[in-house]
Amino acid sequence: RKPRGFSVIGEAEAPSFLAGQPVTLIWGVGKALAAALERDGIRTIAQLQRMERGELMRRYGVMGDRLYRLSRGEDDRRVDPGGDAKSVSAETTFDNDIGSLAELVPVLRGLSEKVSARLKKSGIAGRTVVLKLKTQDFKLRTRNRQLGDPTRLADRIFQTGLDLLRRETDGTKFRLLGIGVSDLSDDGKADPPDLIDVQSRKRAMAETAIDELRDKFGRKAVETGYTFGKGRAANPPEPLED
């Protein structure tokens, strides 16, 4: 260390170094969250380190998971000196054209989960959900919707995409379906608790639990009701990052 210089903190040293720091040092802890933590008597990162992941998520939703990881120096966001991605998407081409919403839904869910997995792995989130369709006569349709806050959750990507998809299933048959997000940013401010949708926190916690099981036992270890038993259609190729 030199005056006006910097230090390199090793992985093993990170928790002890962070322990004495204020919670506001953590990326994504703005005034509102800092005030909520203060009301709960949490002022230092050491206090967060003593809390269980589940307890933090019960109190602060998806942000609780980030508080748990970042307070321990666990940050797997990729450093990419080559430039930032503009979008993250996944798409699949069908062997036979599909026009039924019931058949398209599990595919959309599987694609949404793949996009979400890539976002979480990269530590980023997107504010605009983009639906892509190609008709049987090769005409391309794209529809998008901007969210109030960035998201990295499969459930929000899927539900938004599903609403867009419903408007397009008018009897037209499609040969390609894709879903993605754009307007990317760091995930520090993604998916804040929804005061209107009271079930959103429970769905976010359930998704985190599913992610942990898949990390441990593989992606097919847990399937949702949308994709269970749907075979290859609900498990399209890996997502594309543009």
Side-chain angles (χ1 to χ4, degrees), residues 107-173:
V107 182
L108 180 66
R109 178 69 196 196
L111 291 168
S112 299
E113 290 180 1
K114 285 183 173 291
V115 171
S116 173
R118 176 65 64 84
L119 292 170
K120 292 167 183 172
K121 183 178 180 180
S122 301
I124 55 179
R127 191 170 184 178
T128 299
V129 175
V130 182
L131 177 74
K132 178 180 178 181
L133 295 161
K134 186 178 289 185
T135 65
Q136 60 184 355
D137 54 355
F138 295 92
K139 292 181 179 179
L140 187 65
R141 299 184 188 180
T142 57
R143 303 290 184 265
N144 62 76
R145 177 172 297 169
Q146 189 175 73
L147 306 175
D149 302 284
T151 188
R152 63 176 193 157
L153 292 177
D155 185 67
R156 286 188 72 191
I157 296 168
F158 168 68
Q159 294 294 343
T160 304
L162 179 58
D163 190 43
L164 295 171
L165 180 61
R166 284 195 178 105
R167 301 166 187 261
E168 303 301 319
T169 48
D170 53 6
T172 302
K173 289 191 174 183

Side-chain angles (χ1 to χ4, degrees), residues 14-15 18 26 45 48-49 66-73:
L18 291 169
I26 296 176
I45 293 177
L48 292 174
Q49 291 174 345
R66 285 187 218 116
L67 290 172
Y68 179 86
R69 291 185 292 106
L70 296 180
S71 68
R72 290 160 173 77

Side-chain angles (χ1 to χ4, degrees), residues 93-109:
T93 301
F94 306 123
D95 294 331
N96 299 296
D97 299 337
I98 298 176
S100 165
L101 179 63
E103 292 182 75
L104 291 169
V105 165
V107 182
L108 180 66
R109 178 69 196 196

Side-chain angles (χ1 to χ4, degrees), residues 21-230:
Q21 305 298 323
V23 292
T24 51
L25 183 70
I26 296 176
W27 175 259
V29 178
K31 292 182 179 180
L33 182 55
L37 290 166
E38 174 71 25
R39 286 194 297 271
D40 290 341
I42 301 171
R43 301 178 181 84
T44 68
I45 293 177
Q47 290 174 281
L48 292 174
Q49 291 174 345
R50 291 194 290 269
M51 299 178 71
E52 297 293 331
R53 186 196 303 265
E55 174 63 20
L56 286 169
M57 290 195 66
R58 279 191 292 274
R59 294 191 186 195
Y60 311 112
V62 174
M63 189 61 198
D65 178 56
R66 285 187 218 116
L67 290 172
Y68 179 86
R69 291 185 292 106
L70 296 180
S71 68
R72 290 160 173 77
E74 299 172 5
D75 189 351
D76 57 4
R77 288 173 294 179
R78 183 179 60 189
V79 177
D80 183 5
D84 297 329
K86 295 180 180 179
S87 66
V88 175
S89 63
E91 62 184 46
T92 189
T93 301
F94 306 123
D95 294 331
N96 299 296
D97 299 337
I98 298 176
S100 165
L101 179 63
E103 292 182 75
L104 291 169
V105 165
V107 182
L108 180 66
R109 178 69 196 196
L111 291 168
S112 299
E113 290 180 1
K114 285 183 173 291
V115 171
S116 173
R118 176 65 64 84
L119 292 170
K120 292 167 183 172
K121 183 178 180 180
S122 301
I124 55 179
R127 191 170 184 178
T128 299
V129 175
V130 182
L131 177 74
K132 178 180 178 181
L133 295 161
K134 186 178 289 185
T135 65
Q136 60 184 355
D137 54 355
F138 295 92
K139 292 181 179 179
L140 187 65
R141 299 184 188 180
T142 57
R143 303 290 184 265
N144 62 76
R145 177 172 297 169
Q146 189 175 73
L147 306 175
D149 302 284
T151 188
R152 63 176 193 157
L153 292 177
D155 185 67
R156 286 188 72 191
I157 296 168
F158 168 68
Q159 294 294 343
T160 304
L162 179 58
D163 190 43
L164 295 171
L165 180 61
R166 284 195 178 105
R167 301 166 187 261
E168 303 301 319
T169 48
D170 53 6
T172 302
K173 289 191 174 183
F174 301 103
R175 61 182 299 106
L176 178 146
L177 171 63
I179 191 74
V181 296
S182 60
D183 295 336
L184 301 180
S185 62
D186 188 279
D187 68 357
K189 296 183 179 180
D191 303 301
D194 191 328
L195 299 179
I196 297 176
D197 184 0
V198 295
Q199 296 299 315
S200 63
R201 181 175 296 186
K202 291 182 179 179
R203 292 197 299 270
M205 291 177 64
E207 187 166 316
T208 298
I210 289 173
D211 289 341
E212 291 176 352
L213 288 172
R214 285 175 171 170
D215 287 343
K216 188 173 183 179
F217 300 109
R219 185 174 182 275
K220 294 183 179 180
V222 182
E223 292 191 46
T224 67
Y226 293 106
T227 61
F228 182 72
K230 302 301 189 298

